[in-house]
Amino acid sequence: MTLLEAPVTSLAQHRVRVRGVVQGVGFRPWIWRLAHEHGLRGWVRNDAEGVEILLQGEHAAIAAFALRLEHEAPPLARIDTLHWASQAPQAGLHDFAILASAHHGTARTLISHDSAVCPDCLAEIFDPNARRWRYAFSNCTHCGPRYTITRGIPYDRARTSMAAFPMCAACAAEYADPGDRRFHAEPIACPICGPRLGWLDAHGHAQDGTDALQAAVAALRAGAIVAIKGLGGFHLACDARNADAVQRLRQRKQREMKPFALMLANLHSIEPLALLDADERARLQSPERPIALLRKRGRVDALLPGVCDGMAWLGVMLPYTPLHYLLFHEYAGRPAGSTWLDAFDSPALVMTSANPCGEPLVADNAEAVRRLGGIADALLVHDRAIVVRCDDSVLQHAGGQMQFVRRARGYVPRAIRLQADGPVVLAVGAHLKNTLCITRGDEAFISQHIGTLDNAATRAMFDEVAQHLLGLLQVQPVVLAHDLHPDFHSTRYAQTLAARLDVPCIAVQHHHAHIAAVAAEHRHSGPLLGLALDGVGLGTDGGAWGGELLRIDGAHCERIDHLRALALPGGDRAAREPWRMAAAALAAMGHGDTIARRFAGQPQALAVQRWLTSGAAIPGSSSLGRWFDAAAGLLGICAVMDFEAEAAMRLEALALRHGPAQPWHDGFRITRDGLDLLPALQHLHSATDTAEAAARFHATLAAALVAWSLQAAQAHDLGVIALGGGCLLNTVLATMLRAQLAAHGLLVLEAQQVPPNDGGLSLGQAWVARQHPASIH
């Protein structure tokens, strides 16, 4: 029986349990207002499980309250479950109050993600008569920092980095006023009692008496590189239209070619640089404020030299903190009001993560001086501690849907609902683009992007994130899951922790995990066909896999077929130097004697030619990523990569520039040795129009993968196919696969809540581990 079906009595009392994202989002003051509007008595409080409410009043009033509770929650709140328990009315309840949090019990709730500053707070910041005029830390229950300042649950000020800033009388009055939008806003602050900005030179010396915002904008205008402290860490910023500043940033950060992301003040300023559809506009302006990868307009490389040369995409984000908005306000000459924001011709600022040499994001002021001293000319800092490092999220629009490239700020620690309850699993991801996943009940919590675990600093962050997330969730794993590769730091971490806790430790094959991640977020049960298209992952046979057809059924994975293997001359080096993969393709075509001449600019070309034509056994890989590299190498568009997947990205950019093209109908073969794409590379070998060749290669690849998948689906009687792996970030390929597979009657599942690349692996590992016999028994 539901509440609305209960018998009508003159007086009723109910205890309500609310679970979900209901702390730090204005939920209790909203409940307080609802209760008063309906003449109800009782109380509301936070506790370890979420929010607890006691309601007493007329049944009709409680029923009306219940309806609004389900349909009118605050913008940042998410109600997952509501449980109503009727009990006998009691004397002595004369009002409705917000009680202090109850701290007992195991946490079953979680705080909200960090959210962009709301319009109401912006209006105050730009109002010269408001007490928070030009204040860089304004927030309320509808916006501001949450996850990155929080040390523990329940979410109270004492458990955040705002504990260091006692409220002044004015802030305390707002905090205690149920009619104020800052009622119980834990990060509440003002210029009198809250955090403050500071301006440091490159050596960390404070420039006292300097207007930090004014100094920062003057430095950026003069071509300086400025380190700016944000929500989850520092950015490195410079004027994107200043080619010299951009080049100096590349040299200092040792980032020769990888594209930079930009921040602009408004959509009006983005439109001359990139194409925008309605979904992209909405995503850019959402409270999560991700970086969106947008299709570049033709003149961008000339307008912004060195920012993203040769790429199809421009990474752009809008301001999301008061500090960001105040920088643009300073550029605009400090106009009163906020109407200037929509029409202002914004400067384009490079806003790239401050993580030198592949290390984690810099978060602490002293750390910034130490690690960024050789990169930044000055630092714009503040004295509010960042508890949790959290990089910007990155999304792209792929054939009608938004897709994560990197999932972090704004989306973490948002839970992914699973199909069923299960044991607590800690899954530790792999080596590249590492994330962690912890399951609790029927939810999976994916950590923010951690990075590549190849240096001590990133490994320390890995440990830090694991302990923080376990602490927030207040759980201890009863199962550990990791990649099959024995030498990964994540694998050793899982094995060590499992031994200490005396719990099972389950190895999950890399591409099984890719497909399992997609199945997990779609709550799929039963067998399915998995098409895993990736760079590389250790296979169960010890080989380098990456282009696989898998039959997945929970913890069981069968490798049905794979791409024809290409030799890897130089092993891991071949994955960084596409000319080597092109050389392997030439040798496989029977043109091995042309390698040294074709790649005369490479010092090792003759040695590679001799090796490939000698008949010596060379390890190979079924990776689709290596076929992309071979194609880029044959077309001469990328001989040596400066960053991961550069060759494939440049190939995609050429295909997009050309537009749709017809496949080569003789461009592939399905053989006993797997799907052979060598015929397509034969066409590239003699191509003269690189853009047309790139477009036709993509079309041929899609046709080949579709034919191959349909054959396997029919042979194994499977009607559902899941697409996973880093190559699915190629929007040209992903869009064609989705449309063509669906047109042939298959139900196509794709990554939507996590990236298809290694950033989603931990979710797949956790999903497999939960269904493994070691977990069940």
Side-chain angles (χ1 to χ4, degrees), residues 95 164 235 253 262 280 349 435 477 494 509 533 563 606 608 631 673 736 738 761:
D95 199 355
H235 285 112
K253 200 182 175 186
L262 304 183
E280 289 163 336
L349 297 179
T435 63
Q509 198 278 323
L533 305 174
L563 295 183
L606 181 59
V608 168
D673 294 325
M736 288 191 289
R738 180 187 310 120
L761 274 179

XYZ file of all heavy atoms in Angstrom, residues 95 164 235 253 262 280 349 435 477 494 509 533 563 606 608 631 673 736 738 761:
156
model
N 6.342 22.384 15.649
C 6.941 23.103 14.524
C 7.707 22.096 13.678
O 7.713 20.891 13.968
C 7.872 24.205 15.040
C 8.161 25.278 13.995
O 7.705 25.109 12.834
O 8.835 26.254 14.333
N 38.217 25.495 8.050
C 39.267 26.448 8.428
C 38.785 27.896 8.390
O 39.548 28.797 8.760
C 40.467 26.283 7.494
N 45.156 25.006 -13.184
C 45.286 25.073 -14.634
C 46.534 25.896 -14.967
O 46.950 26.749 -14.181
C 44.087 25.784 -15.271
C 42.837 24.968 -15.313
N 41.727 25.276 -14.552
C 42.512 23.865 -16.028
C 40.771 24.397 -14.809
N 41.222 23.540 -15.690
N 56.060 22.664 -20.765
C 55.296 21.512 -20.273
C 55.706 20.215 -20.959
O 55.215 19.147 -20.615
C 53.794 21.762 -20.471
C 52.915 20.885 -19.587
C 51.437 21.107 -19.812
C 50.658 20.092 -18.960
N 49.221 20.113 -19.209
N 40.510 25.118 -24.432
C 40.312 26.548 -24.248
C 39.166 26.814 -23.290
O 38.242 26.004 -23.154
C 39.971 27.231 -25.578
C 40.932 27.071 -26.750
C 40.415 27.886 -27.931
C 42.334 27.521 -26.366
N 25.286 20.164 -27.777
C 26.579 20.683 -27.332
C 26.408 21.987 -26.566
O 27.098 22.230 -25.564
C 27.496 20.859 -28.540
C 27.966 19.531 -29.122
C 28.532 19.640 -30.523
O 28.176 20.593 -31.248
O 29.328 18.760 -30.912
N 41.352 31.683 -23.787
C 42.437 31.325 -22.881
C 42.718 29.833 -22.969
O 41.806 29.010 -22.818
C 42.067 31.674 -21.436
C 41.825 33.152 -21.113
C 41.449 33.302 -19.635
C 43.063 33.988 -21.431
N 41.253 4.537 -13.669
C 40.217 4.907 -12.706
C 40.022 3.718 -11.782
O 40.428 2.596 -12.088
C 38.872 5.237 -13.372
O 38.380 4.066 -14.049
C 38.985 6.386 -14.357
N 36.282 -3.646 0.816
C 36.035 -4.617 -0.257
C 36.113 -6.056 0.237
O 36.956 -6.395 1.071
C 37.154 -4.315 -1.253
C 38.219 -3.630 -0.473
C 37.512 -2.864 0.602
N 46.188 -4.514 -6.071
C 45.037 -5.365 -5.778
C 45.462 -6.661 -5.101
O 44.830 -7.108 -4.128
C 44.271 -5.669 -7.068
N 40.416 -10.243 -18.046
C 41.078 -9.915 -19.304
C 40.628 -8.537 -19.785
O 39.467 -8.150 -19.670
C 40.756 -10.983 -20.357
C 41.706 -10.984 -21.545
C 41.341 -9.947 -22.589
O 40.162 -9.704 -22.836
N 42.350 -9.336 -23.218
N 37.482 -2.937 -29.748
C 38.380 -2.278 -30.696
C 39.273 -1.333 -29.907
O 38.822 -0.288 -29.437
C 37.561 -1.511 -31.741
C 36.519 -2.346 -32.493
C 35.668 -1.466 -33.398
C 37.193 -3.463 -33.295
N 41.168 -9.690 -35.260
C 41.788 -9.145 -36.457
C 43.070 -9.915 -36.755
O 43.726 -10.450 -35.845
C 42.140 -7.670 -36.250
C 40.992 -6.680 -36.055
C 41.553 -5.272 -35.939
C 39.998 -6.756 -37.193
N 66.399 0.935 -42.361
C 67.082 -0.186 -43.009
C 67.122 -1.398 -42.100
O 66.897 -2.532 -42.548
C 68.493 0.233 -43.425
C 69.319 -0.842 -44.146
C 68.599 -1.293 -45.429
C 70.720 -0.311 -44.480
N 64.981 -2.169 -39.745
C 63.625 -2.726 -39.688
C 63.317 -3.501 -40.968
O 62.717 -4.582 -40.935
C 62.595 -1.600 -39.456
C 61.171 -2.086 -39.693
C 62.734 -1.049 -38.043
N 47.932 2.618 -41.278
C 47.294 3.439 -42.299
C 47.868 4.854 -42.291
O 48.179 5.425 -43.351
C 45.785 3.479 -42.070
N 42.299 -16.948 -40.292
C 43.237 -16.220 -39.442
C 42.646 -14.923 -38.898
O 43.346 -14.130 -38.285
C 44.516 -15.901 -40.227
C 45.286 -17.163 -40.593
O 45.275 -18.100 -39.781
O 45.871 -17.182 -41.694
N 29.344 5.151 -38.013
C 29.015 4.182 -39.059
C 28.677 2.815 -38.468
O 27.718 2.158 -38.901
C 30.171 4.077 -40.051
C 30.308 5.294 -40.950
S 31.462 5.063 -42.345
C 33.040 5.048 -41.488
N 27.455 2.089 -35.485
C 26.162 2.145 -34.802
C 25.017 2.042 -35.810
O 24.080 1.245 -35.649
C 26.051 3.440 -34.012
C 24.744 3.619 -33.262
C 24.630 4.998 -32.649
N 25.831 5.345 -31.887
C 26.588 6.392 -32.162
N 26.304 7.190 -33.180
N 27.651 6.650 -31.424
N 37.410 0.808 -17.788
C 37.760 -0.592 -17.502
C 37.390 -1.034 -16.084
O 36.956 -2.164 -15.873
C 39.262 -0.802 -17.692
C 39.770 -1.114 -19.091
C 41.273 -1.252 -19.067
C 39.134 -2.387 -19.630
